[in-house]
Amino acid sequence: MTTSFPFLQDWMDKAPQDHPLADLITEATGNSPADNFAFATVAAFENIIEALEKARPERLAGVRRDFRNARTFNNDLLIVRAEMVAGAKLARAGILFDFGRRNGATDPDLVLREMNLGIEVKARRLDGLEDLRDELAVALAEVDTKVLVTVCPDSQPLIIKADVRAKVVADTIQRVRSGSLGSAVTEVEQPWSARKRLLLKISIHEADNLPNGSLVTVVNGFWDSEPGPHMLDTEAQVLAALHDEQKIRQAQAMPTILLVDVARTGSAYIRSPRVWAQRLETLLPDTTPFVGVAVMVPSADDPDVGISLGLRSNLSDQDRAAVDELTRRLGLTGV
């Protein structure tokens, strides 16, 4: 039995054939089971787009254009999806909103018509271990020898600088070519991190039985009590967005909540929504022009998303009333 996705298919009209969703749509519209990744992902986009089309916010055409112009799944498409999933959440709650004006305007991404409130959405990918694993895999694909390479850090880095990754990759490839098996440890200075020093152990093992060439795996876990260094670094990245000059101008134009998509920011997803809300409210400075800062962890196969919000303590009565109305209608976490 085949399935059609009319709202998504309409948005895909005139999109390039190599659009990041094209292959997933082909798989999902065939005989794929409803619980596989392709079907769940495509169905989630269909749900989101349907909610947006029925709400009919102004300037939806700009979002549709960004969707069609996406060239990569993990960057272009997921960035515009963050704005789409937030808008769909408002739409399902019956909250009237419009997408903000673009091209240098000071509008936030989402402007709530009846609450004198805006939401500015930011999505950023930061994952030092995944970056290193991917770059090692690409380099190893050029080597004839089949090996299993394991990467084991002594703590979980949010960021590994590009020059450090390049050196680790070069050293590892040299060891593979020379047949130097076993483990080697690299010490990495991280002055920007809550943990100032990182130890990376790279181990190389013979693996002639691997069917698809060499394999790179990451051996890691979650270290320390909450909030450990990794989460402290993640919090710092969320709060750093408060100092973005363009976003500050938007917050000064109207009362604005900064909503940060942290789904691809290290392991931010392991923290509970309630703890996120509590930490954000504790850390948010009273001097920021933003009404509050929130995080969300959207999943590609889920059309909805939970939001954790921390508010500035010195809000005006008018701003407090607007935020209270928003949180009541959305059921936001931990406010």
Side-chain angles (χ1 to χ4, degrees):
M1 179 179 177
T2 59
T3 304
S4 63
F5 302 94
F7 289 94
L8 174 58
Q9 294 285 10
D10 182 62
W11 277 40
M12 289 292 292
D13 183 40
K14 298 180 182 178
Q17 292 184 346
D18 61 348
H19 189 276
L21 276 183
D23 289 342
L24 291 176
I25 292 173
T26 298
E27 182 179 347
T29 52
N31 294 316
S32 300
D35 60 349
N36 82 344
F37 177 78
F39 186 93
T41 299
V42 170
F45 270 100
E46 172 74 5
N47 187 302
I48 291 168
I49 295 170
E50 179 179 4
L52 294 176
E53 288 288 355
K54 290 182 176 178
R56 301 180 66 182
E58 292 185 7
R59 289 173 287 278
L60 180 58
V63 178
R64 187 187 300 113
R65 182 171 56 251
D66 289 346
F67 170 89
R68 287 174 175 163
N69 290 339
R71 290 295 175 268
T72 62
F73 187 91
N74 287 326
N75 289 307
D76 301 342
L77 188 59
L78 290 186
I79 287 173
V80 68
R81 190 188 189 280
E83 192 174 332
M84 290 167 60
V85 75
K89 190 174 187 71
L90 295 174
R92 293 189 200 99
I95 298 173
L96 301 178
F97 74 97
D98 297 307
F99 288 101
R101 292 171 297 174
R102 298 174 181 239
N103 300 320
T106 57
D107 292 355
D109 292 320
L110 303 164
V111 179
L112 282 55
R113 296 178 192 171
E114 300 175 337
M115 297 182 190
N116 188 36
L117 196 61
I119 299 174
E120 175 64 18
V121 181
K122 179 178 177 62
R124 188 179 183 190
R125 179 195 171 280
L126 289 171
D127 194 325
L129 284 177
E130 185 175 337
D131 291 339
L132 179 58
R133 180 183 60 197
D134 291 347
E135 291 170 14
L136 273 170
V138 170
L140 284 168
E142 303 299 321
V143 181
D144 291 335
T145 306
K146 288 186 179 182
V147 293
L148 170 65
V149 176
T150 62
V151 180
C152 182
D154 67 338
S155 67
Q156 189 169 5
L158 185 61
I159 300 169
I160 301 176
K161 294 290 189 178
D163 59 336
V164 174
R165 300 197 307 269
K167 184 177 187 307
V168 171
V169 170
D171 290 348
T172 303
I173 295 301
Q174 182 179 18
R175 289 171 57 203
V176 170
R177 292 186 185 279
S178 64
S180 178
L181 304 179
S183 300
V185 176
T186 297
E187 183 173 326
V188 180
E189 299 297 325
Q190 301 182 116
W192 65 88
S193 171
R195 187 181 177 98
K196 304 304 181 186
R197 185 200 66 169
L198 171 70
L199 296 179
L200 278 173
K201 183 170 74 172
I202 310 295
S203 302
I204 304 173
H205 311 277
E206 288 184 346
D208 292 334
N209 60 338
L210 291 174
N212 298 313
S214 296
L215 178 66
V216 182
T217 64
V218 174
V219 181
N220 68 322
F222 308 118
W223 296 270
D224 299 328
S225 58
E226 171 75 296
H230 182 74
M231 281 301 177
L232 290 173
D233 289 347
T234 303
E235 290 173 350
Q237 290 297 322
V238 170
L239 295 175
L242 297 172
H243 304 291
D244 183 290
E245 291 185 4
Q246 179 183 356
K247 297 191 184 306
I248 288 174
R249 290 194 295 271
Q250 291 162 336
Q252 291 171 337
M254 70 180 303
T256 299
I257 295 170
L258 176 64
L259 174 59
V260 184
D261 175 356
V262 295
R264 298 174 300 138
T265 306
S267 295
Y269 59 88
I270 68 171
R271 172 179 280 175
S272 74
R274 184 168 297 278
V275 172
W276 260 120
Q278 292 168 346
R279 289 290 295 173
L280 292 173
E281 189 141 320
T282 299
L283 295 169
L284 187 63
D286 289 343
T287 54
T288 181
F290 290 91
V291 169
V293 61
V295 299
M296 63 177 179
V297 187
S299 173
D301 59 357
D302 189 343
D304 198 7
V305 66
I307 296 176
S308 301
L309 172 64
L311 298 177
R312 207 178 69 219
S313 61
N314 57 346
L315 293 183
S316 68
D317 291 343
Q318 182 179 3
D319 290 347
R320 173 69 66 172
V323 174
D324 286 347
E325 175 66 9
L326 175 65
T327 58
R328 181 187 67 80
R329 295 179 66 176
L330 290 183
L332 299 191
T333 300
V335 178

PDB file of all heavy atoms in Angstrom, residues 102-129:
ATOM      1  N   ARG A 102      12.590  39.242   6.363  1.00  0.00           N
ATOM      2  CA  ARG A 102      13.968  38.791   6.223  1.00  0.00           C
ATOM      3  C   ARG A 102      14.821  39.858   5.564  1.00  0.00           C
ATOM      4  O   ARG A 102      14.417  41.007   5.456  1.00  0.00           O
ATOM      5  CB  ARG A 102      13.993  37.485   5.426  1.00  0.00           C
ATOM      6  CG  ARG A 102      13.229  36.382   6.168  1.00  0.00           C
ATOM      7  CD  ARG A 102      13.104  35.097   5.353  1.00  0.00           C
ATOM      8  NE  ARG A 102      12.336  34.126   6.128  1.00  0.00           N
ATOM      9  CZ  ARG A 102      12.775  32.934   6.507  1.00  0.00           C
ATOM     10  NH1 ARG A 102      13.980  32.553   6.168  1.00  0.00           N
ATOM     11  NH2 ARG A 102      12.024  32.129   7.224  1.00  0.00           N
ATOM     12  N   ASN A 103      16.001  39.460   5.160  1.00  0.00           N
ATOM     13  CA  ASN A 103      16.920  40.343   4.426  1.00  0.00           C
ATOM     14  C   ASN A 103      17.293  41.585   5.222  1.00  0.00           C
ATOM     15  O   ASN A 103      17.138  42.722   4.776  1.00  0.00           O
ATOM     16  CB  ASN A 103      16.314  40.742   3.075  1.00  0.00           C
ATOM     17  CG  ASN A 103      16.025  39.549   2.195  1.00  0.00           C
ATOM     18  OD1 ASN A 103      16.811  38.612   2.149  1.00  0.00           O
ATOM     19  ND2 ASN A 103      14.886  39.575   1.512  1.00  0.00           N
ATOM     20  N   GLY A 104      17.764  41.358   6.446  1.00  0.00           N
ATOM     21  CA  GLY A 104      18.279  42.453   7.247  1.00  0.00           C
ATOM     22  C   GLY A 104      17.273  43.146   8.135  1.00  0.00           C
ATOM     23  O   GLY A 104      17.640  44.048   8.893  1.00  0.00           O
ATOM     24  N   ALA A 105      15.994  42.761   8.072  1.00  0.00           N
ATOM     25  CA  ALA A 105      14.992  43.372   8.950  1.00  0.00           C
ATOM     26  C   ALA A 105      15.246  42.942  10.392  1.00  0.00           C
ATOM     27  O   ALA A 105      15.881  41.923  10.653  1.00  0.00           O
ATOM     28  CB  ALA A 105      13.589  42.957   8.517  1.00  0.00           C
ATOM     29  N   THR A 106      14.738  43.731  11.335  1.00  0.00           N
ATOM     30  CA  THR A 106      14.967  43.435  12.747  1.00  0.00           C
ATOM     31  C   THR A 106      13.883  42.542  13.340  1.00  0.00           C
ATOM     32  O   THR A 106      13.889  42.278  14.543  1.00  0.00           O
ATOM     33  CB  THR A 106      15.026  44.743  13.570  1.00  0.00           C
ATOM     34  OG1 THR A 106      13.807  45.483  13.374  1.00  0.00           O
ATOM     35  CG2 THR A 106      16.218  45.580  13.152  1.00  0.00           C
ATOM     36  N   ASP A 107      12.959  42.053  12.518  1.00  0.00           N
ATOM     37  CA  ASP A 107      11.924  41.163  13.039  1.00  0.00           C
ATOM     38  C   ASP A 107      12.544  39.872  13.556  1.00  0.00           C
ATOM     39  O   ASP A 107      13.452  39.313  12.924  1.00  0.00           O
ATOM     40  CB  ASP A 107      10.928  40.781  11.937  1.00  0.00           C
ATOM     41  CG  ASP A 107      10.074  41.939  11.472  1.00  0.00           C
ATOM     42  OD1 ASP A 107      10.187  43.028  12.066  1.00  0.00           O
ATOM     43  OD2 ASP A 107       9.295  41.754  10.522  1.00  0.00           O
ATOM     44  N   PRO A 108      12.039  39.331  14.686  1.00  0.00           N
ATOM     45  CA  PRO A 108      12.404  37.966  15.044  1.00  0.00           C
ATOM     46  C   PRO A 108      11.777  36.989  14.051  1.00  0.00           C
ATOM     47  O   PRO A 108      10.931  37.361  13.233  1.00  0.00           O
ATOM     48  CB  PRO A 108      11.820  37.803  16.456  1.00  0.00           C
ATOM     49  CG  PRO A 108      10.757  38.831  16.559  1.00  0.00           C
ATOM     50  CD  PRO A 108      11.162  39.964  15.678  1.00  0.00           C
ATOM     51  N   ASP A 109      12.182  35.733  14.113  1.00  0.00           N
ATOM     52  CA  ASP A 109      11.711  34.744  13.140  1.00  0.00           C
ATOM     53  C   ASP A 109      10.204  34.539  13.210  1.00  0.00           C
ATOM     54  O   ASP A 109       9.547  34.328  12.179  1.00  0.00           O
ATOM     55  CB  ASP A 109      12.412  33.401  13.379  1.00  0.00           C
ATOM     56  CG  ASP A 109      13.890  33.464  13.049  1.00  0.00           C
ATOM     57  OD1 ASP A 109      14.238  34.099  12.038  1.00  0.00           O
ATOM     58  OD2 ASP A 109      14.697  32.890  13.799  1.00  0.00           O
ATOM     59  N   LEU A 110       9.639  34.567  14.395  1.00  0.00           N
ATOM     60  CA  LEU A 110       8.207  34.357  14.594  1.00  0.00           C
ATOM     61  C   LEU A 110       7.649  35.536  15.380  1.00  0.00           C
ATOM     62  O   LEU A 110       8.171  35.877  16.449  1.00  0.00           O
ATOM     63  CB  LEU A 110       7.944  33.054  15.360  1.00  0.00           C
ATOM     64  CG  LEU A 110       8.529  31.783  14.722  1.00  0.00           C
ATOM     65  CD1 LEU A 110       8.558  30.646  15.736  1.00  0.00           C
ATOM     66  CD2 LEU A 110       7.726  31.387  13.502  1.00  0.00           C
ATOM     67  N   VAL A 111       6.614  36.160  14.855  1.00  0.00           N
ATOM     68  CA  VAL A 111       6.005  37.324  15.501  1.00  0.00           C
ATOM     69  C   VAL A 111       4.581  36.958  15.893  1.00  0.00           C
ATOM     70  O   VAL A 111       3.741  36.659  15.031  1.00  0.00           O
ATOM     71  CB  VAL A 111       5.997  38.544  14.558  1.00  0.00           C
ATOM     72  CG1 VAL A 111       5.329  39.735  15.237  1.00  0.00           C
ATOM     73  CG2 VAL A 111       7.419  38.893  14.130  1.00  0.00           C
ATOM     74  N   LEU A 112       4.299  36.951  17.198  1.00  0.00           N
ATOM     75  CA  LEU A 112       2.975  36.586  17.696  1.00  0.00           C
ATOM     76  C   LEU A 112       2.064  37.802  17.603  1.00  0.00           C
ATOM     77  O   LEU A 112       2.347  38.857  18.183  1.00  0.00           O
ATOM     78  CB  LEU A 112       3.067  36.085  19.140  1.00  0.00           C
ATOM     79  CG  LEU A 112       3.566  34.645  19.331  1.00  0.00           C
ATOM     80  CD1 LEU A 112       4.908  34.402  18.668  1.00  0.00           C
ATOM     81  CD2 LEU A 112       3.638  34.283  20.801  1.00  0.00           C
ATOM     82  N   ARG A 113       0.984  37.671  16.870  1.00  0.00           N
ATOM     83  CA  ARG A 113       0.153  38.818  16.535  1.00  0.00           C
ATOM     84  C   ARG A 113      -0.532  39.433  17.737  1.00  0.00           C
ATOM     85  O   ARG A 113      -0.701  40.658  17.824  1.00  0.00           O
ATOM     86  CB  ARG A 113      -0.929  38.414  15.529  1.00  0.00           C
ATOM     87  CG  ARG A 113      -0.420  37.956  14.184  1.00  0.00           C
ATOM     88  CD  ARG A 113      -1.577  37.549  13.298  1.00  0.00           C
ATOM     89  NE  ARG A 113      -1.144  36.840  12.105  1.00  0.00           N
ATOM     90  CZ  ARG A 113      -1.974  36.230  11.275  1.00  0.00           C
ATOM     91  NH1 ARG A 113      -3.291  36.254  11.511  1.00  0.00           N
ATOM     92  NH2 ARG A 113      -1.508  35.591  10.221  1.00  0.00           N
ATOM     93  N   GLU A 114      -0.986  38.635  18.696  1.00  0.00           N
ATOM     94  CA  GLU A 114      -1.862  39.114  19.765  1.00  0.00           C
ATOM     95  C   GLU A 114      -1.177  39.212  21.116  1.00  0.00           C
ATOM     96  O   GLU A 114      -1.832  39.502  22.113  1.00  0.00           O
ATOM     97  CB  GLU A 114      -3.079  38.187  19.878  1.00  0.00           C
ATOM     98  CG  GLU A 114      -3.907  38.123  18.599  1.00  0.00           C
ATOM     99  CD  GLU A 114      -5.037  37.107  18.694  1.00  0.00           C
ATOM    100  OE1 GLU A 114      -4.921  36.184  19.529  1.00  0.00           O
ATOM    101  OE2 GLU A 114      -6.019  37.246  17.948  1.00  0.00           O
ATOM    102  N   MET A 115       0.138  38.971  21.169  1.00  0.00           N
ATOM    103  CA  MET A 115       0.817  38.925  22.467  1.00  0.00           C
ATOM    104  C   MET A 115       1.973  39.908  22.584  1.00  0.00           C
ATOM    105  O   MET A 115       2.664  39.926  23.597  1.00  0.00           O
ATOM    106  CB  MET A 115       1.342  37.510  22.732  1.00  0.00           C
ATOM    107  CG  MET A 115       0.262  36.452  22.844  1.00  0.00           C
ATOM    108  SD  MET A 115       0.977  34.830  23.223  1.00  0.00           S
ATOM    109  CE  MET A 115      -0.471  33.780  22.988  1.00  0.00           C
ATOM    110  N   ASN A 116       2.243  40.728  21.553  1.00  0.00           N
ATOM    111  CA  ASN A 116       3.400  41.617  21.556  1.00  0.00           C
ATOM    112  C   ASN A 116       4.651  40.862  21.988  1.00  0.00           C
ATOM    113  O   ASN A 116       5.375  41.247  22.900  1.00  0.00           O
ATOM    114  CB  ASN A 116       3.189  42.828  22.484  1.00  0.00           C
ATOM    115  CG  ASN A 116       4.312  43.853  22.325  1.00  0.00           C
ATOM    116  OD1 ASN A 116       4.820  44.061  21.229  1.00  0.00           O
ATOM    117  ND2 ASN A 116       4.693  44.493  23.426  1.00  0.00           N
ATOM    118  N   LEU A 117       4.891  39.772  21.281  1.00  0.00           N
ATOM    119  CA  LEU A 117       5.988  38.887  21.643  1.00  0.00           C
ATOM    120  C   LEU A 117       6.557  38.264  20.375  1.00  0.00           C
ATOM    121  O   LEU A 117       5.818  37.958  19.431  1.00  0.00           O
ATOM    122  CB  LEU A 117       5.463  37.796  22.579  1.00  0.00           C
ATOM    123  CG  LEU A 117       6.480  36.977  23.399  1.00  0.00           C
ATOM    124  CD1 LEU A 117       7.270  37.894  24.340  1.00  0.00           C
ATOM    125  CD2 LEU A 117       5.745  35.912  24.206  1.00  0.00           C
ATOM    126  N   GLY A 118       7.870  38.088  20.338  1.00  0.00           N
ATOM    127  CA  GLY A 118       8.516  37.438  19.212  1.00  0.00           C
ATOM    128  C   GLY A 118       9.356  36.261  19.685  1.00  0.00           C
ATOM    129  O   GLY A 118       9.730  36.170  20.866  1.00  0.00           O
ATOM    130  N   ILE A 119       9.649  35.360  18.769  1.00  0.00           N
ATOM    131  CA  ILE A 119      10.523  34.223  19.050  1.00  0.00           C
ATOM    132  C   ILE A 119      11.600  34.194  17.975  1.00  0.00           C
ATOM    133  O   ILE A 119      11.297  34.132  16.786  1.00  0.00           O
ATOM    134  CB  ILE A 119       9.743  32.894  19.056  1.00  0.00           C
ATOM    135  CG1 ILE A 119       8.664  32.907  20.138  1.00  0.00           C
ATOM    136  CG2 ILE A 119      10.696  31.716  19.271  1.00  0.00           C
ATOM    137  CD1 ILE A 119       7.756  31.682  20.110  1.00  0.00           C
ATOM    138  N   GLU A 120      12.835  34.268  18.401  1.00  0.00           N
ATOM    139  CA  GLU A 120      13.972  34.177  17.492  1.00  0.00           C
ATOM    140  C   GLU A 120      14.575  32.784  17.615  1.00  0.00           C
ATOM    141  O   GLU A 120      14.943  32.348  18.715  1.00  0.00           O
ATOM    142  CB  GLU A 120      15.017  35.251  17.833  1.00  0.00           C
ATOM    143  CG  GLU A 120      16.296  35.164  17.032  1.00  0.00           C
ATOM    144  CD  GLU A 120      16.096  35.396  15.540  1.00  0.00           C
ATOM    145  OE1 GLU A 120      15.050  35.960  15.157  1.00  0.00           O
ATOM    146  OE2 GLU A 120      16.995  35.024  14.755  1.00  0.00           O
ATOM    147  N   VAL A 121      14.653  32.062  16.506  1.00  0.00           N
ATOM    148  CA  VAL A 121      15.105  30.673  16.511  1.00  0.00           C
ATOM    149  C   VAL A 121      16.558  30.604  16.043  1.00  0.00           C
ATOM    150  O   VAL A 121      16.917  31.198  15.028  1.00  0.00           O
ATOM    151  CB  VAL A 121      14.216  29.802  15.594  1.00  0.00           C
ATOM    152  CG1 VAL A 121      14.684  28.343  15.636  1.00  0.00           C
ATOM    153  CG2 VAL A 121      12.747  29.910  16.008  1.00  0.00           C
ATOM    154  N   LYS A 122      17.357  29.856  16.794  1.00  0.00           N
ATOM    155  CA  LYS A 122      18.762  29.636  16.400  1.00  0.00           C
ATOM    156  C   LYS A 122      19.039  28.140  16.452  1.00  0.00           C
ATOM    157  O   LYS A 122      18.682  27.469  17.419  1.00  0.00           O
ATOM    158  CB  LYS A 122      19.717  30.371  17.338  1.00  0.00           C
ATOM    159  CG  LYS A 122      21.189  30.142  16.981  1.00  0.00           C
ATOM    160  CD  LYS A 122      22.100  30.923  17.887  1.00  0.00           C
ATOM    161  CE  LYS A 122      23.574  30.641  17.577  1.00  0.00           C
ATOM    162  NZ  LYS A 122      23.955  31.027  16.212  1.00  0.00           N
ATOM    163  N   ALA A 123      19.663  27.632  15.415  1.00  0.00           N
ATOM    164  CA  ALA A 123      20.068  26.226  15.377  1.00  0.00           C
ATOM    165  C   ALA A 123      21.555  26.174  15.060  1.00  0.00           C
ATOM    166  O   ALA A 123      22.029  26.841  14.144  1.00  0.00           O
ATOM    167  CB  ALA A 123      19.273  25.459  14.324  1.00  0.00           C
ATOM    168  N   ARG A 124      22.268  25.372  15.841  1.00  0.00           N
ATOM    169  CA  ARG A 124      23.698  25.259  15.602  1.00  0.00           C
ATOM    170  C   ARG A 124      24.165  23.841  15.908  1.00  0.00           C
ATOM    171  O   ARG A 124      23.732  23.251  16.904  1.00  0.00           O
ATOM    172  CB  ARG A 124      24.485  26.244  16.478  1.00  0.00           C
ATOM    173  CG  ARG A 124      25.965  26.292  16.124  1.00  0.00           C
ATOM    174  CD  ARG A 124      26.725  27.277  16.983  1.00  0.00           C
ATOM    175  NE  ARG A 124      28.129  27.356  16.573  1.00  0.00           N
ATOM    176  CZ  ARG A 124      29.063  27.992  17.255  1.00  0.00           C
ATOM    177  NH1 ARG A 124      28.748  28.626  18.378  1.00  0.00           N
ATOM    178  NH2 ARG A 124      30.314  28.010  16.840  1.00  0.00           N
ATOM    179  N   ARG A 125      25.013  23.323  15.045  1.00  0.00           N
ATOM    180  CA  ARG A 125      25.561  21.991  15.261  1.00  0.00           C
ATOM    181  C   ARG A 125      26.963  22.110  15.853  1.00  0.00           C
ATOM    182  O   ARG A 125      27.836  22.781  15.306  1.00  0.00           O
ATOM    183  CB  ARG A 125      25.626  21.222  13.942  1.00  0.00           C
ATOM    184  CG  ARG A 125      26.206  19.823  14.092  1.00  0.00           C
ATOM    185  CD  ARG A 125      26.588  19.229  12.756  1.00  0.00           C
ATOM    186  NE  ARG A 125      27.327  17.988  12.936  1.00  0.00           N
ATOM    187  CZ  ARG A 125      28.619  17.909  13.231  1.00  0.00           C
ATOM    188  NH1 ARG A 125      29.323  19.023  13.385  1.00  0.00           N
ATOM    189  NH2 ARG A 125      29.209  16.737  13.380  1.00  0.00           N
ATOM    190  N   LEU A 126      27.183  21.452  16.996  1.00  0.00           N
ATOM    191  CA  LEU A 126      28.500  21.381  17.613  1.00  0.00           C
ATOM    192  C   LEU A 126      28.685  19.972  18.170  1.00  0.00           C
ATOM    193  O   LEU A 126      27.946  19.558  19.064  1.00  0.00           O
ATOM    194  CB  LEU A 126      28.636  22.405  18.751  1.00  0.00           C
ATOM    195  CG  LEU A 126      28.721  23.882  18.374  1.00  0.00           C
ATOM    196  CD1 LEU A 126      28.628  24.742  19.619  1.00  0.00           C
ATOM    197  CD2 LEU A 126      30.012  24.165  17.628  1.00  0.00           C
ATOM    198  N   ASP A 127      29.629  19.223  17.649  1.00  0.00           N
ATOM    199  CA  ASP A 127      29.896  17.871  18.138  1.00  0.00           C
ATOM    200  C   ASP A 127      31.312  17.491  17.742  1.00  0.00           C
ATOM    201  O   ASP A 127      31.553  16.990  16.646  1.00  0.00           O
ATOM    202  CB  ASP A 127      28.884  16.878  17.571  1.00  0.00           C
ATOM    203  CG  ASP A 127      28.911  15.537  18.312  1.00  0.00           C
ATOM    204  OD1 ASP A 127      30.008  15.130  18.725  1.00  0.00           O
ATOM    205  OD2 ASP A 127      27.843  14.923  18.476  1.00  0.00           O
ATOM    206  N   GLY A 128      32.254  17.756  18.640  1.00  0.00           N
ATOM    207  CA  GLY A 128      33.655  17.523  18.335  1.00  0.00           C
ATOM    208  C   GLY A 128      33.978  16.075  18.023  1.00  0.00           C
ATOM    209  O   GLY A 128      34.774  15.785  17.125  1.00  0.00           O
ATOM    210  N   LEU A 129      33.371  15.133  18.757  1.00  0.00           N
ATOM    211  CA  LEU A 129      33.660  13.722  18.527  1.00  0.00           C
ATOM    212  C   LEU A 129      33.134  13.251  17.179  1.00  0.00           C
ATOM    213  O   LEU A 129      33.804  12.502  16.459  1.00  0.00           O
ATOM    214  CB  LEU A 129      33.036  12.880  19.649  1.00  0.00           C
ATOM    215  CG  LEU A 129      33.767  12.905  20.991  1.00  0.00           C
ATOM    216  CD1 LEU A 129      32.998  12.094  22.020  1.00  0.00           C
ATOM    217  CD2 LEU A 129      35.190  12.376  20.867  1.00  0.00           C
TER     218      LEU A 129
END
